[in-house]
Amino acid sequence: MFRQIALVMMLCVSPLQSLAAEPVPLPGTKPLTMEGDIASTLVDGVDKFLLRKLEESIKLREQHWKRDFTSPQAYEKSIEPNRKRLAHILGVRDARVKFDAPELMGTTKAAALVGKGEGYEIYAVRWPVLEDPDPNRTQVTVHGEGLLLVPTGGKKPVADVIAIPDCEQTPEQICGLVEGVPAESQFARRLAESGCRVIVPMLINRQERIGGITNREFLYRSAFELGRHLIGYEVQKVLACVDWFHKAATGGRGPDAANTTSAKPQAATKIGVIGYGEGGMLALYAGALDPRIDAVCVSGYFDSRQNIWQEPIDRNVFGLLKEFGDAEVALMVGDRKLYIDESPPIERTLSGGRGAPFRIAASDSKLTRREFLRAGKLVPLPDANPHEICYDISLSRARELKPGDTFAWKDLCESLGVPDAANGKHGAQPVVAKSSLDPAARHKRQFDEIDLHNQLLLRESPYVRKAFMKKLEDAAKKGVAEYEKAVEEYRTIFKNDVIGAFDDALLPANARTRKIAESDKWTQYEVVLDVWDDVIAYGILVVPKGIKEGEPGGRRPVVVCQHGLEGRPQDVIGEQNFQYYKAFATQLAERGFVTFAPQNLYIFKDRFRTLQRKANPLGKTLFSIIVPQHQQITDWLATQPFVDGQRIAFYGLSYGGKSAMRIPPLVSNYCLSICSADFNEWVDKNANTRAGYSYVWTGEYEIFEWDLGSTFNYAEMAALIAPRPFMVERGHFDGVGIDEQVGAEFGKVRYLYNGLLKIGDRCEIEWFAGPHTINGVGTYAFLHKWLKWPVPPVP
């Protein structure tokens, strides 16, 4: 995948470029007059396109909502589909463990009691959340862990509250056991002083783990690939506490599934959730997902999420902004109470490295209020003046924010029936008791548990994918005709749910070209095509000489030759980086094929990686742009008088091999695909935290794709190319993978082609004793065979 090569060419044209003053276009096209680095222009245009789409998403969200305001019950029912979708994209999809109460974290050396305050005691606790995903095992693998504050003297709690600190804070800090948070902001302690039973979960922090990759990003990476999310794990821990509180208050049953029921059960004691910073985010999502929560307070988080691509990547939720901004999530609280506090978050900036750069800035109260006002426009709030700022976002009432009343604490307490906490006073600091509590050891346990659960999901993923693909496998057993019918459903899933598809229609190609080099065997042209507003396709066309239109051989097959990471079309046509590409686009042209070398988006490091960050919240990826570019390229090629549009092949190296797995399934103009120096057990390569070859350790933070573990590994992607010919080119010493994994994954493809479809001659792999490079032996023979073009005589 070229992470070990880091190719960065500054030339935007071939060194063989003609020095003619006027551009000489390909016949039938307009002259190309663009100057400068066209690749840079391409990336800039896609950036403009995605920023525009992010802004447009705000108005488009309403099409996903069918809110019914006739009654609270009708409203809850009407938003249940949205609640399920939110739970799914947050990775809240596993059934939680049923339990009676948290367990005390004490030892024979030191008790679980860690502190005492005025009218309450503080205990170290943990509680079960998730089991091993293997259906044959019931071992708890994920626990929540933190502190429990309980009233003393046998007093019944006036309310049950989950108090969630920011990820840069510890439970001890918001309980007043250690320094770091001002007394007035120790909200867990203040609630306990007022008679609440409070549980404080610990969050994974953002300390750097390796080379700019934070603890949170590290866990996010593998979870994202497997259809889970660090946000989802921590929301599950919060909701497990809700399960306990509700069961204790009502004697009711525990959860049967990840999503709670839409009906709101009545508990004897009210349940509240309050969070700050990252904790505020979790409080907002928990309140939206679980109707058993009576009141929610979000501090230091509520805002427009249009710039989520600049926030920590562990907040990256695939498809979030298609349906949910903070306003939409807030309104899912319904007739319960949600209070917004404008307190600024903890500011932090990370410049990147191996990890994704991010910035958490002081919140802009204008943006917070604007997002709140936007929520008010989405629902009919009674007696609401659009010029008033109401920070009680309940559907049942609206009120004006009083001057100086910028903290929603009082309202939260009143909703929970905790009047004493509203007076702003607090008691003496709690006394720290001797205990075995070690926050660093606790964090390691919590980190390791989530990592382990991800690895167990990875182990389980082949079984999940097999079940997912069963319908297609059954069709394959009936022959090619039935397979071709069934595969279209899977291609649609791949297009919409994995790659992501924009609805925009392609513009007329409006081809602009100019001749850049010529030899006695071929002519090279730069080509620019329009795709969408601000989006172009760019590449180099190599046309063999001696083509006689209208005669046999007058319409030639085409091979689209795709470069790798940080590459350019010039790499695949000339001497630059010859050791990797072997100028294969030019070599193939000299064998009689027309070739086209496109410029793909994966160039300029963070510039292209932030494109992925901008696309993901829309439920899109880099390939949401690249696929339409290739559709336009192949459509245009098919119109050329020297091209046979039925014989267009794809051949890509490294990141181009990654493209070979994702583009041909969705561009039917490609009659075959060759994946060079990339074919892999791809899900394992992205999610495995044991193996040194895994991307969890590297700087390609854009590489992770949502939920491939449950859907499409490389064998499944190859199944979307079938029954068209497919080939893998694999060097034994190529560090992007290991032979036994490549062989095992290819074995699944071979089974489909040869065992089920009985078309084994269409599926090949060439092993060669070489590194990360084009070999050009078996693959060239494969192209000649399936593109039906004679092998040239040996000179």
Side-chain angles (χ1 to χ4, degrees):
M1 193 60 71
F2 275 175
R3 61 182 170 86
Q4 73 272 37
I5 299 169
L7 302 177
V8 183
M9 280 188 60
M10 297 310 296
L11 294 176
C12 64
V13 295
S14 166
L16 301 176
Q17 181 173 348
S18 170
L19 298 178
E22 296 295 328
V24 178
L26 180 74
T29 66
K30 298 177 182 178
L32 175 62
T33 59
M34 292 179 67
E35 299 296 336
D37 190 341
I38 299 178
S40 184
T41 300
L42 188 157
V43 171
D44 283 345
V46 172
D47 187 68
K48 292 177 183 177
F49 175 83
L50 289 173
L51 288 173
R52 186 168 66 250
K53 289 297 182 181
L54 283 168
E55 189 62 28
E56 291 173 357
S57 71
I58 298 173
K59 293 182 179 179
L60 296 176
R61 289 172 201 157
E62 276 305 286
Q63 64 186 306
H64 299 286
W65 296 83
K66 306 294 181 184
R67 300 183 186 90
D68 183 348
F69 298 107
T70 56
S71 70
Q73 294 76 19
Y75 183 79
E76 289 292 333
K77 184 177 180 180
S78 71
I79 67 169
E80 187 61 21
N82 307 89
R83 186 169 278 149
K84 289 180 178 179
R85 284 194 291 272
L86 180 61
H88 182 81
I89 63 178
L90 292 176
V92 181
R93 58 173 70 176
D94 301 299
R96 292 188 296 278
V97 176
K98 301 178 182 180
F99 67 103
D100 293 325
E103 59 183 288
L104 298 176
M105 293 291 287
T107 69
T108 56
K109 185 177 180 181
L113 180 67
V114 299
K116 294 183 179 181
E118 295 182 5
Y120 64 94
E121 293 178 334
I122 308 174
Y123 293 89
V125 295
R126 75 168 186 169
W127 56 98
V129 181
L130 301 175
E131 292 177 337
D132 188 325
D134 184 337
N136 299 311
R137 294 186 173 94
T138 58
Q139 181 180 0
V140 176
T141 53
V142 176
H143 296 81
E145 197 167 342
L147 301 179
L148 176 65
L149 294 74
V150 295
T152 55
K155 294 180 181 178
K156 181 182 177 181
V158 297
D160 286 323
V161 183
I162 301 128
I164 317 171
D166 183 71
C167 65
E168 306 286 20
Q169 299 171 332
T170 65
E172 288 76 14
Q173 288 177 314
I174 68 166
C175 293
L177 290 172
V178 298
E179 296 180 350
V181 172
E184 62 272 16
S185 298
Q186 296 168 9
F187 51 94
R189 166 193 165 195
R190 290 178 63 185
L191 287 163
E193 290 173 346
S194 300
C196 296
R197 177 170 53 177
V198 184
I199 193 163
V200 188
M202 187 220 83
L203 305 189
I204 300 299
N205 63 38
R206 284 205 181 91
Q207 292 179 11
E208 290 187 44
R209 186 168 187 82
I210 178 173
I213 303 174
T214 67
N215 285 321
R216 292 187 71 82
E217 179 176 351
F218 186 88
L219 293 176
Y220 152 87
R221 289 182 171 199
S222 50
F224 193 83
E225 191 78 11
L226 298 164
R228 304 305 191 274
H229 205 293
L230 180 58
I231 293 173
Y233 280 120
E234 293 182 331
V235 167
Q236 289 275 50
K237 293 179 182 185
V238 172
L239 297 184
C241 296
V242 176
D243 296 338
W244 172 51
F245 284 154
H246 184 261
K247 185 175 183 180
T250 64
R253 61 180 177 83
D256 291 325
N259 299 329
T260 56
T261 59
S262 58
K264 177 188 173 186
Q266 295 299 313
T269 303
K270 290 188 175 181
I271 300 173
V273 177
I274 178 173
Y276 169 67
E278 220 66 21
M281 174 190 70
L282 298 176
L284 179 63
Y285 286 136
L289 293 178
D290 199 328
R292 299 172 300 174
I293 298 172
D294 296 287
V296 180
C297 182
V298 176
S299 178
Y301 180 77
F302 194 82
D303 202 342
S304 169
R305 299 266 79 86
Q306 297 309 110
N307 290 321
I308 195 170
W309 59 273
Q310 294 177 310
E311 299 176 30
I313 198 171
D314 52 86
R315 293 182 181 178
N316 179 45
V317 177
F318 192 75
L320 179 71
L321 296 185
K322 285 176 61 177
E323 192 167 342
F324 309 97
D326 280 5
E328 285 81 8
V329 178
L331 292 175
M332 295 174 74
V333 177
D335 68 328
R336 298 167 287 130
K337 305 299 181 195
L338 170 63
Y339 303 103
I340 309 300
D341 168 32
E342 288 183 339
S343 295
I346 297 174
E347 296 186 47
R348 185 166 175 201
T349 299
L350 186 68
S351 59
R354 296 187 189 182
F358 69 79
R359 180 171 65 92
I360 301 176
S363 56
D364 185 337
S365 61
K366 291 182 180 179
L367 293 178
T368 302
R369 297 182 184 189
R370 187 184 304 165
E371 187 71 2
F372 177 82
L373 287 175
R374 192 172 70 80
K377 294 176 181 178
L378 297 175
V379 297
L381 288 173
D383 303 322
N385 184 323
H387 299 292
E388 295 174 348
I389 304 300
C390 163
Y391 281 75
D392 171 359
I393 207 166
S394 163
L395 295 179
S396 62
R397 69 185 180 113
R399 68 170 182 79
E400 184 178 1
L401 183 70
K402 297 178 181 178
D405 184 16
T406 58
F407 186 63
W409 173 263
K410 296 179 182 180
D411 300 299
L412 174 73
C413 294
E414 289 177 5
S415 295
L416 295 174
V418 189
D420 290 346
N423 60 21
K425 298 179 181 179
H426 47 81
Q429 291 286 122
V431 177
V432 179
K434 182 179 180 181
S435 76
S436 58
L437 184 63
D438 182 343
R442 179 183 60 198
H443 186 276
K444 186 177 186 306
R445 287 193 299 272
Q446 291 281 279
F447 181 96
D448 289 347
E449 281 193 347
I450 295 176
D451 181 32
L452 172 61
H453 195 80
N454 283 333
Q455 299 312 293
L456 293 173
L457 287 168
L458 176 61
R459 182 195 65 190
E460 189 68 17
S461 66
Y463 303 100
V464 177
R465 290 192 300 275
K466 187 171 181 62
F468 170 71
M469 298 294 289
K470 185 177 187 304
K471 183 177 178 181
L472 188 58
E473 183 176 348
D474 290 345
K477 294 174 182 177
K478 299 176 183 178
V480 172
E482 289 300 313
Y483 185 87
E484 288 187 303
K485 295 176 185 177
V487 75
E488 287 304 319
E489 177 184 345
Y490 285 87
R491 286 176 182 153
T492 299
I493 294 171
F494 186 65
K495 175 183 177 180
N496 294 331
D497 299 343
V498 176
I499 297 299
F502 288 106
D503 296 331
D504 304 58
L506 293 175
L507 296 173
N510 186 30
R512 288 89 75 199
T513 68
R514 63 183 168 215
K515 183 163 67 173
I516 58 172
E518 188 172 11
S519 75
D520 59 346
K521 296 181 179 179
W522 42 255
T523 306
Q524 296 175 351
Y525 297 89
E526 281 189 306
V527 180
V528 172
L529 309 173
D530 292 334
V531 179
W532 294 319
D533 289 342
D534 296 318
V535 179
I536 62 172
Y538 162 60
I540 294 178
L541 176 71
V542 187
V543 183
K545 288 193 171 178
I547 298 177
K548 298 179 180 180
E549 296 178 18
E551 297 182 6
R555 286 189 176 270
R556 298 287 181 92
V558 181
V559 182
V560 173
C561 302
Q562 190 61 69
H563 63 75
L565 180 64
E566 298 293 342
R568 294 176 180 266
Q570 289 76 15
D571 294 331
V572 306
I573 66 169
E575 296 301 314
Q576 287 285 349
N577 300 304
F578 185 83
Q579 69 270 37
Y580 307 115
Y581 294 109
K582 307 291 177 59
F584 73 112
T586 301
Q587 284 193 24
L588 289 168
E590 291 176 350
R591 286 171 167 260
F593 299 104
V594 175
T595 66
F596 189 88
Q599 175 67 63
N600 263 3
L601 283 176
Y602 30 82
I603 188 172
F604 305 124
K605 298 183 179 180
D606 281 340
R607 282 179 62 193
F608 91 81
R609 293 193 166 101
T610 55
L611 296 181
Q612 184 85 317
R613 294 290 316 272
K614 292 166 186 170
N616 273 187
L618 298 170
K620 307 296 191 291
T621 65
L622 289 174
F623 285 95
S624 304
I625 309 290
I626 296 172
V627 166
Q629 286 176 320
H630 278 254
Q631 187 67 58
Q632 189 75 305
I633 289 166
T634 54
D635 286 348
W636 175 76
L637 285 170
T639 67
Q640 300 309 299
F642 50 85
V643 166
D644 182 348
Q646 302 301 310
R647 293 185 290 167
I648 303 179
F650 190 101
Y651 186 177
L653 174 81
S654 195
Y655 221 120
K658 177 180 167 72
S659 300
M661 303 306 302
R662 291 159 178 79
I663 298 172
L666 303 179
V667 178
S668 60
N669 292 343
Y670 285 120
C671 67
L672 66 84
S673 183
I674 299 175
C675 175
S676 176
D678 183 75
F679 191 86
N680 230 309
E681 212 290 16
W682 186 251
V683 173
D684 181 82
K685 184 173 177 62
N686 283 272
N688 190 324
T689 58
R690 175 66 176 86
Y693 55 72
S694 174
Y695 277 116
V696 298
W697 306 103
T698 72
E700 288 89 345
Y701 57 80
E702 89 295 341
I703 208 82
F704 305 93
E705 295 162 285
W706 171 247
D707 203 16
L708 284 191
S710 304
T711 53
F712 299 96
N713 203 344
Y714 270 15
E716 289 76 29
M717 291 185 199
L720 302 182
I721 296 171
R724 292 169 287 174
F726 173 72
M727 185 172 182
V728 170
E729 187 174 46
R730 164 69 190 172
H732 289 304
F733 309 115
D734 187 344
V736 300
I738 53 177
D739 280 359
E740 53 266 39
Q741 285 198 333
V742 173
E745 190 70 8
F746 182 79
K748 299 174 186 178
V749 184
R750 181 69 180 171
Y751 171 72
L752 170 66
Y753 274 82
N754 195 50
L756 298 180
L757 295 175
K758 314 301 181 186
I759 53 172
D761 58 333
R762 301 187 195 181
C763 178
E764 294 184 24
I765 186 169
E766 181 187 34
W767 305 89
F768 65 97
H772 193 77
T773 185
I774 293 286
N775 191 46
V777 179
T779 52
Y780 286 7
F782 191 78
L783 288 169
H784 282 287
K785 174 182 178 180
W786 291 106
L787 294 180
K788 300 177 181 178
W789 187 251
V791 178
V794 177

